[in-house]
């Protein structure tokens, strides 16, 4: 049995290694092995093969099957992990893909939870391999929900771990997800750099995630209005997705290709692509793509005025939205049910608390106070609040005097906002909170509710010294501190000329009002502070916006100077290499010719000598425009410096096609230049090198084109010379080309 186990395990490791290259084939082989394997005799091997099968199903968009298989493998491995370290490491792989599958099914929170668990367990096991994957996929999930800063932190940690493991797939996935995040942040330059590294890694090892890289790059070029490159990348992505059997990648490529067609006003072509994508999404139950495809088709139909056709997709969108709303409604119903139970419990508690012989009167008072608190919150104007309070309270309590006293900023005085006596507004003086003569000051200092049924019998408890004669007119007092967020805002005061006008139950009701009033006052103060702050922020925002515009202008100018020639506006040497290398990469992939032309102006020195450098600069601008005029949209022209230019021709049907462009270019150079009142004739010597005839790398092609240009200039000027001609001449004469 041990010999058999060793043989099975060798196969498991082999399938695991080829899983990221060919998930479909790996899954098929794993499934065949599982049919002949006794799970009871080989539990670890069975779980690992189930994992391989499930990952293959994930790539083939069979998500429910993948989750079922992974959960089965997890259950098996959990029973083994206490005795086998290898089982624990495979368990973390299983949990990682469970998290990925949960997220793909729309449960992003469960996916993140699963991956966080893998992260913690991999640290305890010192398992760098699973630690790297956990961070990489966490970075992707956090990026997909807009938490870009956190996503970049996880991806940076994953990148460091991937450097330790040396895993090509991990390094590629880090660059893929970094590129996706930078793309969402509209930093297309960084995005393309990362995606280029990912493409190089994936393409070299023919990994299954290559289509996702190509689709992302295609989307970026589309955003930059570069339809040619976008379509090239997306076509390759679509071809590889079909080849590797990854429906999700195929759908994403189809959707992006439809956007390219739509931007080129090819509505019919876009519709066909979206219909195909929708069919795939429905076939594989990929709900996350079904609704977006249906919406895009609906937009196309409406734009074309095909309202009958639009009805079909309107119904589909409505049905899909109804399903989403249904799920949301179930969740809301559960929340409402819980809230209803809580409200019932709260009502019962209030009922028991307020039970007394005056239940009916108290209930009316509570309702009135509740309405009053709601009105106060809506008013947010202190004078209106005081007037509304007095009007309401005087109907449910005996009130001969009503006032609200607010603390000043220092908190050492109570300032009456309004005191209403028998429907008359009376002005009164501020009361120091340190005063021993005023009951209001006592309530403020101690933050204590005070109920006085008879001032003559109880007043001495709260004040001393002489009192105002008017205060003795009121037999009953009710004072309640107004507090919010731990801060004393003031005092609410009611007075009546009757003795025992207020009860303990009344104080409970008034305490509700006091709390509501305190919140309202706090909100009013906060609102004023926010308004002031908002005004300051508005001024600051305007200043920052101006500064930001200036910085953006400066940044744009710096970027322009860094990659474009300041005189002609053409790409400089740096941008030439940045664009030409990917063009050569595509030419190599498409097995199409690629040409590099080194252009040096003839008789240019006479312009500078005759009229000065200003005239030379003007001539360079005019000639730069003439060169650009002869090129196609897919070609590239750059100025290296002085009177040297480089043109790159891509997407050529044959090497002979270069000759047609070169003849047009020489014809343009032969035309006279009108500068000032003078006429000049400036020609050009052009050297041409070809891929794959002359060299395979761009730098080498450029050097060979320079040599061919040198030969053209020394054999008569105003002509072009192919490097191949020089090579042939060397073979015949034995001379040195250089």
């Amino acid at each position: 049995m041990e010999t058999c186990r060793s043989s099975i395990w060798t196969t498991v490791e082999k399938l695991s290694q080829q899983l990221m290259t060919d998930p479909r084939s790996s899954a098929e082989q794993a499934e065949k092995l599982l049919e002949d394997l006794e799970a009871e005799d080989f539990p670890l091997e069975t779980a690992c093969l189930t994992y391989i099968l499930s990952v293959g199903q994930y790539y083939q968009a069979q998500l429910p099957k993948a989750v079922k298989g992974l959960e089965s493998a997890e259950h098996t491995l959990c029973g083994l992990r206490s005795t086998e370290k290898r089982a624990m490491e495979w368990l973390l792989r299983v949990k990682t893909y469970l998290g990925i599958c949960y997220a793909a099914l729309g449960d992003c929170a469960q996916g993140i939870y699963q991956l966080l668990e893998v992260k913690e367990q991999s640290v305890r096991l010192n398992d760098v391999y699973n630690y790297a994957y956990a961070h990489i996929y966490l970075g992707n999930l956090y990026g997909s929900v807009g938490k870009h800063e956190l996503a970049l932190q996880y991806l940076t940690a994953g990148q460091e771990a991937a450097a330790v493991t040396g895993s090509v797939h991990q390094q590629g996935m880090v660059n893929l997800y970094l590129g996706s995040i930078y793309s969402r942040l509209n930093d297309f330059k960084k995005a393309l750099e990362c995606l280029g590294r990912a493409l190089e890694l994936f393409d070299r090892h023919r990994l299954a995630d290559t289509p996702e890289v190509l689709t992302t790059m295609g989307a970026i070029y589309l955003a930059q209005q570069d339809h040619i490159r976008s379509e090239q990348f997306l076509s390759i992505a679509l071809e590889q997705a079909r080849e590797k059997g990854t429906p999700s990648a195929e759908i994403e490529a189809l959707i992006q290709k439809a956007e390219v067609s739509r931007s080129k006003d090819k509505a019919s072509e876009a519709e066909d692509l979206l219909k195909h994508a929708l069919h795939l999404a429905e076939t594989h139950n990929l709900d996350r793509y079904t609704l977006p495809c249906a919406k895009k088709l609906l937009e196309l139909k409406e734009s074309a005025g095909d309202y009958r056709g639009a009805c079909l997709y309107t119904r589909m969108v409505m049905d899909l939205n109804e399903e989403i709303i249904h799920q949301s409604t179930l969740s809301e119903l559960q929340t409402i049910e819980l809230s209803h139970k809580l409200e019932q419990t709260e009502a019962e508690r209030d009922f028991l608390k307020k039970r007394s012989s005056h239940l009916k009167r108290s209930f009316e008072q509570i309702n009135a106070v509740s309405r009053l608190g709601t009105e106060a919150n809506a008013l947010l104007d202190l004078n209106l609040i005081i007037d509304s309070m007095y009007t309401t309270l005087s109907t449910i309590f005996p009130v001969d005097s009503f006032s609200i006293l607010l603390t000043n900023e220092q908190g050492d005085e109570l300032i009456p906002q309004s005191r209403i006596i028998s429907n008359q507004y009376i002005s009164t003086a501020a009361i120091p909170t340190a005063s021993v003569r005023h009951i209001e000051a006592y309530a403020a200092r101690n933050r204590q509710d005070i109920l006085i049924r008879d001032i003559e019998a109880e007043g001495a408890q709260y004040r001393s010294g002489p009192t105002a004669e008017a205060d003795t007119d009121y037999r009953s007092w009710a004072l309640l501190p107004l507090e919010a967020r731990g801060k004393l805002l003031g005092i609410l005061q009611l007075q009546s000329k009757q003795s025992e006008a207020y009860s303990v139950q009344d104080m409970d009701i008034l305490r509700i009002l006091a709390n509501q009033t305190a919140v309202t006052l706090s909100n009013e103060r906060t609102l004023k502070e926010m308004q002031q702050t908002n005004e300051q922020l508005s001024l600051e925002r305007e200043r920052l916006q101006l500064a930001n515009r200036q910085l953006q202008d400066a940044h744009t100018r710096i970027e322009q100077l860094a990659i474009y020639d300041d005189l002609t506006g053409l790409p400089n040497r740096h941008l030439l290499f940045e664009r030409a290398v990917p063009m050569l990469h595509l030419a190599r992939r498409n097995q199409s010719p690629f040409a590099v032309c080194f252009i040096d102006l003839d008789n240019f020195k006479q312009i500078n000598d005759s009229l000065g450098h200003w005239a030379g600069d003007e001539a360079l601008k005019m000639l730069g425009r003439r060169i650009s005029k002869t090129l196609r949209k897919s070609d590239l022209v750059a100025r290296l410096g002085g009177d040297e230019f480089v043109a790159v021709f891509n997407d050529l049907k044959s090497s002979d096609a270069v000759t047609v462009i070169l003849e047009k270019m020489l014809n343009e150079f032969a035309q006279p230049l009108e500068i000032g009142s003078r006429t000049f004739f400036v020609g050009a010597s052009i050297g041409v090198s070809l891929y794959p005839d002359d060299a395979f790398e761009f730098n080498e092609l450029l050097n060979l084109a320079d040599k061919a240009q040198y030969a053209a200039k020394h054999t008569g000027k105003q002509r072009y010379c192919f490097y191949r001609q020089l090579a042939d001449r060397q073979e015949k004469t034995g001379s040195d080309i250089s």
Side-chain angles (χ1 to χ4, degrees):
M1 180 177 285
E2 288 304 316
T3 304
C4 181
R5 188 185 304 277
S6 176
S7 174
I8 294 170
W9 191 251
T10 300
T11 305
V12 168
E13 290 182 330
K14 178 183 175 183
L15 291 176
S16 175
Q17 290 172 359
Q18 75 176 41
L19 182 58
M20 295 298 105
T21 303
D22 192 351
R24 180 167 53 188
S25 175
S26 300
E28 290 172 353
Q29 294 178 61
E31 189 171 22
K32 288 180 182 177
L33 284 170
L34 284 168
E35 291 174 357
D36 302 327
L37 203 63
E38 291 293 336
E40 293 182 359
D41 296 334
F42 302 97
L44 176 59
E45 292 78 3
T46 299
C48 295
L49 286 169
T50 304
Y51 160 80
I52 292 168
L53 171 60
S54 300
V55 173
Q57 290 168 336
Y58 162 77
Y59 273 99
Q60 295 173 71
Q62 300 172 17
L63 294 176
K65 287 184 179 179
V67 170
K68 184 178 179 180
L70 289 167
E71 288 177 343
S72 172
E74 181 184 28
H75 177 74
T76 302
L77 291 168
C78 282
L80 298 173
R81 66 179 182 176
S82 60
T83 56
E84 295 190 38
K85 181 182 177 184
R86 185 160 57 180
M88 187 61 189
E89 292 172 348
W90 276 88
L91 175 61
L92 295 185
R93 294 190 188 189
V94 170
K95 284 179 172 288
T96 297
Y97 264 91
L98 261 177
I100 296 169
C101 288
Y102 289 145
L105 287 167
D107 193 348
C108 195
Q110 180 65 15
I112 289 174
Y113 173 80
Q114 195 82 12
L115 290 168
L116 287 172
E117 189 175 304
V118 173
K119 178 176 79 76
E120 296 301 325
Q121 292 179 359
S122 63
V123 171
R124 288 197 295 271
L125 285 174
N126 196 26
D127 183 353
V128 182
Y129 181 83
N130 285 305
Y131 176 87
Y133 270 126
H135 280 77
I136 291 167
Y137 289 122
L138 278 168
N140 179 45
L141 290 184
Y142 279 120
S144 68
V145 296
K147 295 184 177 292
H148 298 128
E149 185 175 347
L150 185 58
L152 289 172
Q153 292 175 7
Y154 273 109
L155 288 172
T156 301
Q159 193 171 38
E160 293 171 355
V164 175
T165 65
S167 167
V168 173
H169 184 254
Q170 289 178 348
Q171 293 168 4
M173 294 305 287
V174 166
N175 280 289
L176 166 59
Y177 294 148
L178 283 171
S180 298
I181 290 172
Y182 287 130
S183 176
R184 293 190 193 103
L185 296 172
N186 293 325
D187 191 343
F188 295 140
K189 183 178 179 182
K190 279 188 180 179
L192 289 172
E193 288 175 359
C194 294
L195 292 166
R197 289 193 290 269
L199 181 61
E200 185 179 353
L201 290 165
F202 286 168
D203 203 33
R204 187 191 311 157
H205 297 271
R206 301 190 63 78
L207 297 181
D209 298 281
T210 307
E212 188 175 352
V213 180
L214 293 165
T215 300
T216 308
M217 294 180 78
I220 291 174
Y221 284 126
L222 175 59
Q224 295 179 324
Q225 302 297 312
D226 191 342
H227 296 149
I228 294 175
R229 287 193 198 178
S230 178
E231 195 157 17
Q232 288 173 339
F233 276 92
L234 291 171
S235 296
I236 298 168
L238 193 57
E239 177 186 332
Q240 292 202 9
R242 288 168 177 165
E243 176 188 331
K244 296 179 184 298
T246 51
S248 296
E250 184 178 351
I251 292 170
E252 289 178 0
L254 285 167
I255 291 172
Q256 288 299 327
K257 281 205 75 171
E259 289 299 311
V260 174
S261 298
R262 194 172 174 183
S263 66
K264 294 166 69 176
D265 295 327
K266 296 182 179 180
S268 177
E269 182 179 300
E271 182 179 349
D272 291 341
L273 291 166
L274 287 171
K275 282 181 177 178
H276 189 188
L278 179 60
H279 173 71
L280 283 173
E282 290 178 330
T283 302
H284 295 281
N285 296 316
L286 295 174
D287 295 337
R288 67 183 186 277
Y289 295 117
T290 307
L291 183 57
C293 287
K295 284 183 175 179
K296 289 179 183 295
L297 281 164
L298 174 59
E299 291 173 6
L300 278 175
K301 290 292 186 183
E302 289 177 341
S303 299
D306 183 1
Y307 298 108
R308 178 175 295 179
C311 287
L312 170 65
Y313 297 109
T314 301
R315 181 70 262 173
M316 183 180 293
V317 170
M318 289 175 65
D319 289 343
L320 291 168
N321 281 330
E322 282 178 8
E323 179 62 24
I324 294 170
I325 292 168
H326 175 67
Q327 296 298 329
S328 177
T329 302
L330 288 176
S331 176
E332 289 178 5
L333 285 174
Q334 292 174 348
T335 304
I336 291 170
E337 184 179 359
L338 179 60
S339 299
H340 181 65
K341 290 178 179 178
L342 290 172
E343 288 173 1
Q344 285 181 324
T345 304
E346 188 71 20
E348 290 170 4
R349 189 190 71 178
D350 286 344
F351 174 78
L352 292 172
K353 185 178 179 181
K354 300 298 180 181
R355 184 175 52 189
S356 69
S357 59
H358 303 291
L359 181 60
K360 184 176 180 180
R361 175 173 174 268
S362 297
F363 183 71
E364 292 173 350
Q365 291 172 334
I366 290 171
N367 280 341
V369 167
S370 178
R371 288 194 300 271
L372 184 57
T374 303
E375 291 175 4
N377 276 324
L379 290 172
L380 280 179
D381 182 287
L382 188 56
N383 291 327
L384 293 175
I385 291 170
I386 292 171
D387 187 63
S388 178
M389 281 187 176
Y390 174 72
T391 302
T392 302
L393 290 175
S394 60
T395 63
I396 57 177
F397 296 110
V399 180
D400 293 310
S401 173
F402 171 77
S403 60
I404 290 181
L405 303 92
L406 299 183
T407 55
N408 60 2
E409 291 185 5
Q410 294 75 23
D412 57 4
E413 283 189 334
L414 292 170
I415 302 172
Q417 299 305 298
S418 289
R419 183 172 184 180
I420 306 175
I421 300 176
S422 301
N423 293 320
Q424 299 293 320
Y425 286 86
I426 306 298
S427 297
T428 55
I431 300 173
T433 54
S435 172
V436 296
R437 296 171 51 198
H438 295 85
I439 300 175
E440 298 90 340
Y442 181 94
R445 288 196 303 274
N446 295 279
R447 300 194 181 188
Q448 175 185 334
D449 292 353
I450 296 177
L451 170 61
I452 299 175
R453 294 181 175 86
D454 189 333
I455 191 65
E456 291 183 0
E458 304 171 28
Q461 299 177 40
Y462 308 107
R463 67 183 179 188
S464 61
T467 59
E469 186 176 338
D471 284 347
T472 59
D473 292 340
Y474 303 106
R475 304 296 298 276
S476 298
W477 294 48
L479 298 95
L480 301 101
L482 304 173
E483 295 182 88
R485 301 174 186 145
K487 184 178 181 180
L488 179 68
L489 303 178
I491 300 292
L492 174 68
Q493 183 184 66
L494 282 75
Q495 295 171 302
S496 173
K497 293 181 179 180
Q498 305 172 23
S499 59
E500 299 185 0
Y502 312 119
S503 64
V504 174
Q505 290 77 20
D506 294 338
M507 291 295 288
D508 288 338
I509 296 170
L510 289 171
R511 170 42 54 198
I512 296 172
L513 176 61
N515 290 339
Q516 292 174 329
T517 304
V519 171
T520 301
L521 292 172
S522 177
N523 289 344
E524 184 200 25
R525 290 187 178 183
T526 302
L527 180 61
K528 288 181 179 177
E529 291 171 358
M530 288 176 62
Q531 288 172 340
Q532 293 173 354
T533 304
N534 190 49
E535 290 174 0
Q536 294 172 351
L537 288 174
S538 295
L539 293 173
E540 183 65 14
R541 183 171 62 249
E542 290 175 4
R543 187 186 68 78
L544 289 174
Q545 286 174 343
L546 177 60
N548 188 48
R549 284 195 296 271
Q550 293 172 341
L551 283 173
Q552 287 177 341
D553 291 344
H555 182 68
T556 302
R557 179 61 178 161
I558 291 170
E559 284 189 340
Q560 188 80 8
L561 290 173
I563 60 176
Y564 287 95
D565 178 51
D566 191 35
L567 180 62
T568 63
L570 296 174
N572 62 13
R573 177 183 287 271
H574 178 81
L575 188 55
L576 169 67
F577 275 79
E578 186 177 299
R579 289 186 176 177
V581 171
M583 290 170 67
L584 178 58
H585 181 76
L586 281 176
R588 186 180 297 125
R589 182 188 297 277
N590 296 332
Q591 297 182 349
S592 61
F594 179 90
V596 178
C597 300
F598 199 106
I599 305 164
D600 189 86
L601 302 180
D602 299 331
N603 306 319
F604 180 72
K605 188 173 181 296
Q606 62 174 325
I607 300 176
N608 282 332
D609 293 344
S610 300
L611 298 177
H613 287 291
W614 71 267
D617 291 346
E618 188 63 30
L620 288 171
K621 293 178 187 178
M622 296 168 68
L623 291 168
R625 289 193 292 269
R626 288 187 182 182
I627 298 173
S628 300
K629 179 180 175 183
T630 63
L631 302 185
R632 304 163 302 165
K633 288 185 178 180
S634 60
D635 299 332
L636 172 66
V637 63
R639 181 188 176 213
L640 296 187
D643 58 353
E644 294 177 342
F645 296 83
V646 171
V648 178
F649 304 142
N650 191 20
D651 198 21
L652 297 168
K653 294 182 179 178
S654 66
S655 300
D656 296 335
V658 182
T659 305
V660 177
I661 304 173
L662 292 172
E663 291 292 347
K664 287 173 61 179
M665 195 180 294
L666 286 177
N667 184 53
E668 285 293 331
F669 280 119
Q671 302 304 312
L673 290 174
E674 301 291 340
I675 303 175
S677 59
R678 299 280 299 277
T679 300
F680 296 93
F681 289 90
V682 176
S685 298
I686 305 174
V688 186
S689 61
L690 297 172
Y691 165 85
D693 299 348
D694 300 327
F696 294 94
E697 300 299 330
F698 179 73
N699 196 44
E700 189 175 354
L701 286 167
L702 184 62
N703 289 334
L704 297 180
D706 187 16
K707 291 178 180 180
Q709 173 273 136
Y710 183 82
K713 187 175 286 291
H714 287 79
T715 55
K717 300 183 179 181
Q718 185 57 16
R719 64 187 60 204
Y720 56 85
C721 176
F722 284 86
Y723 177 77
R724 177 51 52 195
Q725 296 171 339
L726 297 183
D728 292 343
R729 188 187 309 160
Q730 182 190 29
E731 290 178 6
K732 292 178 181 178
T733 63
S735 61
D736 187 357
I737 295 175
S738 59

